[in-house]
Amino acid sequence: MAERGEAMGERAYLWRLHRILALYVAGILGFLALMTWAESRGLSRHWIGPIFLFLSVMVYAGIGVYGRTTDAEEYYVAGRRIPPMYNGMAAAADWMSAASFISLSGALYLQGFSGTPGNAGGLAYLLGWTGGFCLVAILVAPHLRAMGLYTVPDFFHVRFGGRWPRVIAALAAVVCSFTYVVAQIYGVGLIASRLTGVQFEVGIMLGLGGVLLCSFLGGMRAITWTQVAQYVLLLLAFLIPVSWLAYKQLGNPVAPLMYGKQIVKIADLEAQLLASPAEYQVVAAYLERARDYEARLQNVEAALEEERVAIQEKIRRLRSQNADVGLIVAASRELAALPRDAATARERWARLMRENYARAQPLGGLPPHSHAFAGYPDGTPEEQEMYTESRRNFLALMFCLMVGTAGLPHLLTRYYTSPTVAGARASVAWSLFFIALLYLSAPALAVLVKFEVMNNLVGSSFEQLPNWIAQWARVDGSLLSIEDMNGDGFVQFGEIRLGADLIMLATPELGGLPYVVSGLVAAGGLAAALSTADGLLLTISNALVRDLYFQDRHRNASPEQRVILTKFTLLSVALAAAFVAALKPSDILPLVTASFSLAASAFVPVMVLGIFWRGTTRQGAVAGMLCGLGLAAYYMLSHVPAVRGVLPPWLAADARLWFGIQPISAGVFGVPAGLLSAVLVSWLTRPAPPQPRVRLEM
């Protein structure tokens, strides 16, 4: 009778959740219909963006307030009672970070299916991230759930004992999660600034408020239901514009089944662009500009002084001629924008030289979209080498993303909330289903947007460019810039520069949809960034407080006190991540990819050995984590110019690509190093077998 009553109670609980979800979806669709009607009646675009931002953040904050708790079981693992379907939705939202929602289609647009010689990517992201969930389901999640843990470093403490395995695991969790969360907060600032028109830094703080209200008050309990709400929003925000583009171009809204037809048309348009004299004029203009910067770098001090004198003379001439004030102000700004010193000038001009040389290529430096890999297997020796390195980097990146998925602490913690081990496996299956709904459409969106750009934007007059281009250019010039390089007054494909982080966000405006859909897409991108940032901040604060500060037995505290300290640590980490994100250290996708390589190298070899091989020792676990994480971090950092400058000469001299592998795929070296060192040290330090007792005959 008790079991029957428990089953009936569980079914009633599920039906109540289903009703709430249905009402929530209906509410979103009703709100979109209302906003579309209001826009048709004259509601200004300046109001639509802030309304979407405010209401979405308030919904998440309301869930956070409703789910507030100080109970340790609820705060850390949501009471371990989240049904598999909803856990899968929450995990999918946790997974659909700003990289997946904002940058993935952009990477496919810019890099094609295989990536470029210097940026492996394309379908490697889809294959690696999706395949990684198979590793999670088979190798990791059920086994960790069976142990009844709270955090990933808990596993290393329970399995290996001692202090150092848990400390190293906690520090590794902080490093890879902080790298990941900086990318999410960068995406938050990007979207919030576009929605409201405020500065990028102010946009970061606006979006950060929604993160803190969810994770600060309710921990995993509030984050889980917030992520369910965010998944619904981001899925609608992704599917509506891609379905519209597919219907507009192909007459069928099912984009994943139809977009193959546009690849053939894109190949024809690329052939026309490669034969266009106007495109070659653009290439020549970029090449001339790149050579100009190269000439300046020959004598930076003299070139900087010469440019400063020329601008000062221009300002004096304008003033003597009583020229328009706008021209004088523009010249004064040009003078103020000059590098302050020779070192700054050298760094800036070297970067601009590289960028212009990259743009001085056919198709603006983009590879043919349907080309399998860079280079040609039957071409010149240089093309053959490029082809080999492109394939190698594609496989290396896919390996790092797959293995890194199985080691990300914030993702694995998501499955601790399942009621049972079977529920953890079912949650992973639901996660794959909900992720596939978006991932199957990402390549389609890249193809449809590229066709839209080539077929409609290319050839239009500069005087008739839509307003959204200037608006995005004001947010960040690296996201979007169009410059009339050959001076003919018409847009050429080589003159268009689109950042990977812009493709998805600008799709509604590019496709001619109502601005309400642009607000929905931005709100979806905000939901993707906030959902992942919630989980990451909770993971970092748990590692710092539960796994580092309180791992000393002398620091006794009640569960409620630990939760309170975790909340304030979370606040401090969020502010630190916002500060780093405001510096705009990199695009979203490279930062996220780096965290996968770090997680793969630090956690997965030792974790899998600890689960399946009883011979793994504490010393082997420590050696495996240190060697894997250390080698991956060194390979990444040694290729950062600012870091390379402070390395010892013997290390800086060795800072070159190993086997042509790009730094973001450092896990391809870190994972084997961690595995081999863990096995070797475990074998050397394994306890001796007990000696049999010998009975002496008297």
Side-chain angles (χ1 to χ4, degrees), residues 637-672:
L637 295 176
S638 64
H639 292 87
V640 177
V643 176
R644 189 174 179 177
V646 300
L647 287 175
W650 61 277
L651 281 177
D654 192 46
R656 58 183 181 273
L657 294 180
W658 300 346
F659 305 103
I661 300 297
Q662 295 298 320
I664 60 172
S665 300
V668 80
F669 304 113
V671 171

mmCIF file of all heavy atoms in Angstrom, residues 637-672:
data_model
loop_
_atom_site.group_PDB
_atom_site.id
_atom_site.type_symbol
_atom_site.label_atom_id
_atom_site.label_comp_id
_atom_site.label_asym_id
_atom_site.label_seq_id
_atom_site.Cartn_x
_atom_site.Cartn_y
_atom_site.Cartn_z
ATOM 1 N N LEU A 637 48.614 28.452 -22.546
ATOM 2 C CA LEU A 637 49.149 29.742 -22.131
ATOM 3 C C LEU A 637 50.425 30.108 -22.879
ATOM 4 O O LEU A 637 50.715 31.289 -23.080
ATOM 5 C CB LEU A 637 49.412 29.734 -20.620
ATOM 6 C CG LEU A 637 48.167 29.604 -19.736
ATOM 7 C CD1 LEU A 637 48.558 29.498 -18.271
ATOM 8 C CD2 LEU A 637 47.234 30.794 -19.939
ATOM 9 N N SER A 638 51.194 29.121 -23.291
ATOM 10 C CA SER A 638 52.449 29.425 -23.981
ATOM 11 C C SER A 638 52.228 30.051 -25.347
ATOM 12 O O SER A 638 53.169 30.588 -25.943
ATOM 13 C CB SER A 638 53.285 28.145 -24.134
ATOM 14 O OG SER A 638 52.620 27.202 -24.958
ATOM 15 N N HIS A 639 50.994 29.995 -25.851
ATOM 16 C CA HIS A 639 50.685 30.620 -27.132
ATOM 17 C C HIS A 639 49.925 31.930 -26.975
ATOM 18 O O HIS A 639 49.461 32.501 -27.968
ATOM 19 C CB HIS A 639 49.885 29.648 -28.002
ATOM 20 C CG HIS A 639 50.681 28.466 -28.453
ATOM 21 N ND1 HIS A 639 50.790 27.322 -27.695
ATOM 22 C CD2 HIS A 639 51.441 28.248 -29.553
ATOM 23 C CE1 HIS A 639 51.555 26.451 -28.324
ATOM 24 N NE2 HIS A 639 51.961 26.985 -29.442
ATOM 25 N N VAL A 640 49.773 32.406 -25.745
ATOM 26 C CA VAL A 640 49.199 33.727 -25.501
ATOM 27 C C VAL A 640 50.352 34.729 -25.468
ATOM 28 O O VAL A 640 51.267 34.590 -24.642
ATOM 29 C CB VAL A 640 48.418 33.759 -24.173
ATOM 30 C CG1 VAL A 640 47.887 35.161 -23.894
ATOM 31 C CG2 VAL A 640 47.286 32.750 -24.207
ATOM 32 N N PRO A 641 50.362 35.727 -26.352
ATOM 33 C CA PRO A 641 51.520 36.633 -26.421
ATOM 34 C C PRO A 641 51.871 37.274 -25.089
ATOM 35 O O PRO A 641 53.051 37.381 -24.732
ATOM 36 C CB PRO A 641 51.077 37.678 -27.456
ATOM 37 C CG PRO A 641 50.078 36.966 -28.313
ATOM 38 C CD PRO A 641 49.369 36.022 -27.402
ATOM 39 N N ALA A 642 50.866 37.709 -24.323
ATOM 40 C CA ALA A 642 51.150 38.374 -23.050
ATOM 41 C C ALA A 642 51.820 37.430 -22.067
ATOM 42 O O ALA A 642 52.694 37.843 -21.285
ATOM 43 C CB ALA A 642 49.862 38.929 -22.451
ATOM 44 N N VAL A 643 51.430 36.149 -22.082
ATOM 45 C CA VAL A 643 52.032 35.168 -21.183
ATOM 46 C C VAL A 643 53.399 34.736 -21.696
ATOM 47 O O VAL A 643 54.346 34.561 -20.929
ATOM 48 C CB VAL A 643 51.107 33.946 -21.025
ATOM 49 C CG1 VAL A 643 51.761 32.874 -20.161
ATOM 50 C CG2 VAL A 643 49.768 34.365 -20.433
ATOM 51 N N ARG A 644 53.505 34.592 -22.987
ATOM 52 C CA ARG A 644 54.774 34.142 -23.572
ATOM 53 C C ARG A 644 55.900 35.120 -23.264
ATOM 54 O O ARG A 644 57.059 34.722 -23.119
ATOM 55 C CB ARG A 644 54.601 33.978 -25.079
ATOM 56 C CG ARG A 644 55.776 33.319 -25.762
ATOM 57 C CD ARG A 644 55.477 33.063 -27.219
ATOM 58 N NE ARG A 644 56.599 32.461 -27.901
ATOM 59 C CZ ARG A 644 56.584 32.077 -29.166
ATOM 60 N NH1 ARG A 644 55.477 32.223 -29.871
ATOM 61 N NH2 ARG A 644 57.647 31.542 -29.717
ATOM 62 N N GLY A 645 55.555 36.399 -23.146
ATOM 63 C CA GLY A 645 56.585 37.388 -22.871
ATOM 64 C C GLY A 645 57.210 37.259 -21.498
ATOM 65 O O GLY A 645 58.330 37.741 -21.284
ATOM 66 N N VAL A 646 56.509 36.628 -20.537
ATOM 67 C CA VAL A 646 57.046 36.503 -19.176
ATOM 68 C C VAL A 646 57.585 35.100 -18.904
ATOM 69 O O VAL A 646 58.076 34.840 -17.809
ATOM 70 C CB VAL A 646 55.962 36.847 -18.128
ATOM 71 C CG1 VAL A 646 55.472 38.259 -18.325
ATOM 72 C CG2 VAL A 646 54.781 35.878 -18.216
ATOM 73 N N LEU A 647 57.495 34.195 -19.886
ATOM 74 C CA LEU A 647 58.021 32.858 -19.691
ATOM 75 C C LEU A 647 59.542 32.875 -19.718
ATOM 76 O O LEU A 647 60.154 33.730 -20.370
ATOM 77 C CB LEU A 647 57.503 31.913 -20.784
ATOM 78 C CG LEU A 647 56.041 31.472 -20.708
ATOM 79 C CD1 LEU A 647 55.688 30.638 -21.933
ATOM 80 C CD2 LEU A 647 55.773 30.673 -19.444
ATOM 81 N N PRO A 648 60.190 31.945 -19.050
ATOM 82 C CA PRO A 648 61.647 31.817 -19.160
ATOM 83 C C PRO A 648 62.041 31.558 -20.613
ATOM 84 O O PRO A 648 61.270 30.961 -21.381
ATOM 85 C CB PRO A 648 61.963 30.605 -18.271
ATOM 86 C CG PRO A 648 60.808 30.487 -17.353
ATOM 87 C CD PRO A 648 59.614 30.976 -18.100
ATOM 88 N N PRO A 649 63.230 31.992 -21.019
ATOM 89 C CA PRO A 649 63.628 31.845 -22.430
ATOM 90 C C PRO A 649 63.556 30.404 -22.932
ATOM 91 O O PRO A 649 63.154 30.156 -24.062
ATOM 92 C CB PRO A 649 65.068 32.368 -22.440
ATOM 93 C CG PRO A 649 65.150 33.283 -21.260
ATOM 94 C CD PRO A 649 64.238 32.716 -20.221
ATOM 95 N N TRP A 650 63.911 29.442 -22.074
ATOM 96 C CA TRP A 650 63.917 28.059 -22.544
ATOM 97 C C TRP A 650 62.505 27.519 -22.758
ATOM 98 O O TRP A 650 62.297 26.601 -23.544
ATOM 99 C CB TRP A 650 64.680 27.169 -21.560
ATOM 100 C CG TRP A 650 64.084 27.136 -20.179
ATOM 101 C CD1 TRP A 650 64.287 28.046 -19.186
ATOM 102 C CD2 TRP A 650 63.200 26.147 -19.649
ATOM 103 N NE1 TRP A 650 63.586 27.707 -18.058
ATOM 104 C CE2 TRP A 650 62.905 26.534 -18.305
ATOM 105 C CE3 TRP A 650 62.637 24.981 -20.142
ATOM 106 C CZ2 TRP A 650 62.078 25.797 -17.482
ATOM 107 C CZ3 TRP A 650 61.809 24.245 -19.325
ATOM 108 C CH2 TRP A 650 61.538 24.652 -18.010
ATOM 109 N N LEU A 651 61.512 28.118 -22.047
ATOM 110 C CA LEU A 651 60.125 27.723 -22.281
ATOM 111 C C LEU A 651 59.524 28.486 -23.455
ATOM 112 O O LEU A 651 58.778 27.934 -24.262
ATOM 113 C CB LEU A 651 59.288 27.961 -21.025
ATOM 114 C CG LEU A 651 59.392 26.918 -19.913
ATOM 115 C CD1 LEU A 651 58.552 27.343 -18.721
ATOM 116 C CD2 LEU A 651 58.947 25.545 -20.399
ATOM 117 N N ALA A 652 59.825 29.787 -23.542
ATOM 118 C CA ALA A 652 59.274 30.598 -24.631
ATOM 119 C C ALA A 652 59.772 30.113 -25.988
ATOM 120 O O ALA A 652 59.049 30.144 -26.985
ATOM 121 C CB ALA A 652 59.640 32.067 -24.424
ATOM 122 N N ALA A 653 61.019 29.621 -26.028
ATOM 123 C CA ALA A 653 61.562 29.142 -27.296
ATOM 124 C C ALA A 653 60.833 27.893 -27.785
ATOM 125 O O ALA A 653 60.801 27.605 -28.983
ATOM 126 C CB ALA A 653 63.052 28.845 -27.140
ATOM 127 N N ASP A 654 60.253 27.149 -26.844
ATOM 128 C CA ASP A 654 59.558 25.912 -27.212
ATOM 129 C C ASP A 654 58.066 26.137 -27.456
ATOM 130 O O ASP A 654 57.324 25.192 -27.649
ATOM 131 C CB ASP A 654 59.745 24.870 -26.100
ATOM 132 C CG ASP A 654 59.305 23.476 -26.547
ATOM 133 O OD1 ASP A 654 59.682 23.069 -27.654
ATOM 134 O OD2 ASP A 654 58.579 22.812 -25.782
ATOM 135 N N ALA A 655 57.637 27.401 -27.417
ATOM 136 C CA ALA A 655 56.210 27.707 -27.545
ATOM 137 C C ALA A 655 55.807 27.701 -29.016
ATOM 138 O O ALA A 655 55.580 28.735 -29.627
ATOM 139 C CB ALA A 655 55.892 29.050 -26.889
ATOM 140 N N ARG A 656 55.760 26.537 -29.598
ATOM 141 C CA ARG A 656 55.304 26.382 -30.975
ATOM 142 C C ARG A 656 54.290 25.241 -31.012
ATOM 143 O O ARG A 656 54.184 24.455 -30.078
ATOM 144 C CB ARG A 656 56.488 26.081 -31.895
ATOM 145 C CG ARG A 656 57.287 24.846 -31.526
ATOM 146 C CD ARG A 656 58.486 24.663 -32.461
ATOM 147 N NE ARG A 656 59.244 23.473 -32.119
ATOM 148 C CZ ARG A 656 60.217 23.441 -31.229
ATOM 149 N NH1 ARG A 656 60.552 24.563 -30.589
ATOM 150 N NH2 ARG A 656 60.874 22.327 -30.967
ATOM 151 N N LEU A 657 53.579 25.165 -32.119
ATOM 152 C CA LEU A 657 52.530 24.159 -32.226
ATOM 153 C C LEU A 657 53.140 22.763 -32.283
ATOM 154 O O LEU A 657 54.097 22.519 -33.018
ATOM 155 C CB LEU A 657 51.682 24.414 -33.474
ATOM 156 C CG LEU A 657 50.844 25.696 -33.495
ATOM 157 C CD1 LEU A 657 50.067 25.789 -34.796
ATOM 158 C CD2 LEU A 657 49.905 25.754 -32.306
ATOM 159 N N TRP A 658 52.556 21.857 -31.501
ATOM 160 C CA TRP A 658 52.980 20.455 -31.522
ATOM 161 C C TRP A 658 52.120 19.711 -32.530
ATOM 162 O O TRP A 658 50.886 19.658 -32.403
ATOM 163 C CB TRP A 658 52.833 19.813 -30.150
ATOM 164 C CG TRP A 658 53.643 20.490 -29.072
ATOM 165 C CD1 TRP A 658 54.652 21.393 -29.245
ATOM 166 C CD2 TRP A 658 53.495 20.322 -27.655
ATOM 167 N NE1 TRP A 658 55.157 21.800 -28.035
ATOM 168 C CE2 TRP A 658 54.471 21.160 -27.030
ATOM 169 C CE3 TRP A 658 52.662 19.553 -26.851
ATOM 170 C CZ2 TRP A 658 54.599 21.243 -25.654
ATOM 171 C CZ3 TRP A 658 52.789 19.633 -25.478
ATOM 172 C CH2 TRP A 658 53.751 20.461 -24.889
ATOM 173 N N PHE A 659 52.767 19.159 -33.548
ATOM 174 C CA PHE A 659 52.078 18.417 -34.606
ATOM 175 C C PHE A 659 51.011 19.271 -35.296
ATOM 176 O O PHE A 659 50.054 18.750 -35.869
ATOM 177 C CB PHE A 659 51.424 17.145 -34.049
ATOM 178 C CG PHE A 659 52.364 16.243 -33.313
ATOM 179 C CD1 PHE A 659 52.363 16.213 -31.923
ATOM 180 C CD2 PHE A 659 53.259 15.431 -33.995
ATOM 181 C CE1 PHE A 659 53.225 15.394 -31.231
ATOM 182 C CE2 PHE A 659 54.129 14.607 -33.304
ATOM 183 C CZ PHE A 659 54.120 14.584 -31.928
ATOM 184 N N GLY A 660 51.165 20.598 -35.229
ATOM 185 C CA GLY A 660 50.202 21.490 -35.868
ATOM 186 C C GLY A 660 48.884 21.627 -35.144
ATOM 187 O O GLY A 660 47.936 22.213 -35.680
ATOM 188 N N ILE A 661 48.764 21.128 -33.903
ATOM 189 C CA ILE A 661 47.501 21.173 -33.152
ATOM 190 C C ILE A 661 47.317 22.559 -32.552
ATOM 191 O O ILE A 661 48.231 23.112 -31.921
ATOM 192 C CB ILE A 661 47.489 20.108 -32.038
ATOM 193 C CG1 ILE A 661 47.654 18.707 -32.639
ATOM 194 C CG2 ILE A 661 46.206 20.185 -31.229
ATOM 195 C CD1 ILE A 661 46.555 18.288 -33.558
ATOM 196 N N GLN A 662 46.126 23.132 -32.709
ATOM 197 C CA GLN A 662 45.832 24.461 -32.178
ATOM 198 C C GLN A 662 45.746 24.427 -30.646
ATOM 199 O O GLN A 662 45.385 23.405 -30.051
ATOM 200 C CB GLN A 662 44.512 24.987 -32.747
ATOM 201 C CG GLN A 662 44.543 25.213 -34.246
ATOM 202 C CD GLN A 662 45.549 26.261 -34.664
ATOM 203 O OE1 GLN A 662 45.709 27.282 -33.997
ATOM 204 N NE2 GLN A 662 46.242 26.013 -35.758
ATOM 205 N N PRO A 663 46.054 25.557 -29.970
ATOM 206 C CA PRO A 663 46.078 25.572 -28.495
ATOM 207 C C PRO A 663 44.766 25.194 -27.834
ATOM 208 O O PRO A 663 44.774 24.608 -26.750
ATOM 209 C CB PRO A 663 46.475 27.017 -28.174
ATOM 210 C CG PRO A 663 47.222 27.486 -29.366
ATOM 211 C CD PRO A 663 46.580 26.812 -30.539
ATOM 212 N N ILE A 664 43.616 25.527 -28.450
ATOM 213 C CA ILE A 664 42.346 25.209 -27.789
ATOM 214 C C ILE A 664 42.122 23.706 -27.683
ATOM 215 O O ILE A 664 41.299 23.251 -26.892
ATOM 216 C CB ILE A 664 41.144 25.861 -28.513
ATOM 217 C CG1 ILE A 664 41.049 25.379 -29.955
ATOM 218 C CG2 ILE A 664 41.207 27.362 -28.424
ATOM 219 C CD1 ILE A 664 39.785 25.826 -30.651
ATOM 220 N N SER A 665 42.859 22.917 -28.476
ATOM 221 C CA SER A 665 42.744 21.453 -28.406
ATOM 222 C C SER A 665 43.865 20.853 -27.563
ATOM 223 O O SER A 665 44.311 19.729 -27.814
ATOM 224 C CB SER A 665 42.771 20.854 -29.818
ATOM 225 O OG SER A 665 41.708 21.347 -30.597
ATOM 226 N N ALA A 666 44.305 21.590 -26.556
ATOM 227 C CA ALA A 666 45.400 21.123 -25.710
ATOM 228 C C ALA A 666 45.060 19.826 -24.993
ATOM 229 O O ALA A 666 45.958 19.084 -24.578
ATOM 230 C CB ALA A 666 45.766 22.201 -24.686
ATOM 231 N N GLY A 667 43.787 19.529 -24.829
ATOM 232 C CA GLY A 667 43.394 18.296 -24.160
ATOM 233 C C GLY A 667 43.859 17.045 -24.882
ATOM 234 O O GLY A 667 43.964 15.980 -24.265
ATOM 235 N N VAL A 668 44.164 17.138 -26.169
ATOM 236 C CA VAL A 668 44.642 15.971 -26.899
ATOM 237 C C VAL A 668 46.015 15.543 -26.393
ATOM 238 O O VAL A 668 46.427 14.394 -26.586
ATOM 239 C CB VAL A 668 44.660 16.267 -28.422
ATOM 240 C CG1 VAL A 668 45.880 17.068 -28.823
ATOM 241 C CG2 VAL A 668 44.559 14.992 -29.234
ATOM 242 N N PHE A 669 46.735 16.445 -25.729
ATOM 243 C CA PHE A 669 47.990 16.102 -25.066
ATOM 244 C C PHE A 669 47.778 15.861 -23.571
ATOM 245 O O PHE A 669 48.411 14.990 -22.980
ATOM 246 C CB PHE A 669 49.016 17.212 -25.263
ATOM 247 C CG PHE A 669 49.272 17.557 -26.701
ATOM 248 C CD1 PHE A 669 48.896 18.796 -27.211
ATOM 249 C CD2 PHE A 669 49.868 16.640 -27.556
ATOM 250 C CE1 PHE A 669 49.114 19.118 -28.537
ATOM 251 C CE2 PHE A 669 50.092 16.954 -28.893
ATOM 252 C CZ PHE A 669 49.719 18.195 -29.394
ATOM 253 N N GLY A 670 46.882 16.652 -22.954
ATOM 254 C CA GLY A 670 46.682 16.540 -21.514
ATOM 255 C C GLY A 670 46.031 15.240 -21.094
ATOM 256 O O GLY A 670 46.399 14.656 -20.065
ATOM 257 N N VAL A 671 45.063 14.743 -21.885
ATOM 258 C CA VAL A 671 44.362 13.514 -21.505
ATOM 259 C C VAL A 671 45.299 12.305 -21.511
ATOM 260 O O VAL A 671 45.359 11.558 -20.527
ATOM 261 C CB VAL A 671 43.139 13.282 -22.420
ATOM 262 C CG1 VAL A 671 42.544 11.903 -22.186
ATOM 263 C CG2 VAL A 671 42.087 14.349 -22.166
ATOM 264 N N PRO A 672 46.070 12.052 -22.580
ATOM 265 C CA PRO A 672 47.010 10.922 -22.513
ATOM 266 C C PRO A 672 48.061 11.080 -21.422
ATOM 267 O O PRO A 672 48.436 10.089 -20.774
ATOM 268 C CB PRO A 672 47.657 10.919 -23.903
ATOM 269 C CG PRO A 672 46.711 11.641 -24.774
ATOM 270 C CD PRO A 672 46.060 12.671 -23.907
#
